[in-house]
């Protein structure tokens, strides 16, 4: 979801938006993907946002609910 490490490892919304196009393009090239491992809250939230908009998913999934 994020292609670089920003200062203090805290990306701004603009940085996430700029990188989201790269993430979407990468997923289009990965035709046979079965699993995505999202590392951290930013990665998880970014993946979830992508799939919610692409597949019209309404329910929000909480990472803490899985543990």
């Amino acid at each position: 979801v994020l292609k670089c490490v920003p200062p203090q490892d805290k990306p701004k919304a603009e940085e996430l938006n700029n990188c989201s196009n790269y993430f979407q393009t990468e997923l289009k090239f990965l035709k046979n993907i079965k699993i995505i491992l999202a590392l951290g809250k930013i990665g998880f939230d970014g993946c979830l946002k992508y799939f919610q908009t692409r597949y019209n998913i309404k329910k929000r999934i909480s990472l803490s609910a899985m543990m």
Side-chain angles (χ1 to χ4, degrees):
V1 176
L2 192 61
K3 295 304 243 180
C4 58
V5 179
Q8 288 89 35
D9 201 21
K10 295 182 181 178
K12 297 178 181 169
E14 181 182 0
E15 294 169 321
L16 290 168
N17 287 332
N18 289 340
C19 291
S20 68
N21 292 331
Y22 294 107
F23 177 68
Q24 292 173 17
T25 301
E26 286 178 337
L27 287 178
K28 288 178 188 176
F29 284 115
L30 299 171
K31 302 271 184 214
N32 295 322
I33 193 165
K34 298 196 187 298
I35 295 173
I36 296 176
L37 177 60
L39 300 177
K41 181 176 179 355
I42 293 170
F44 179 80
D45 288 346
C47 279
L48 187 61
K49 180 179 177 182
Y50 170 78
F51 287 108
Q52 282 178 330
T53 57
R54 184 171 172 105
Y55 297 105
N56 198 23
I57 299 170
K58 305 263 189 250
K59 185 176 179 182
R60 175 132 173 108
I61 300 169
S62 172
L63 182 59
S64 60
M66 295 178 167
M67 296 180 172

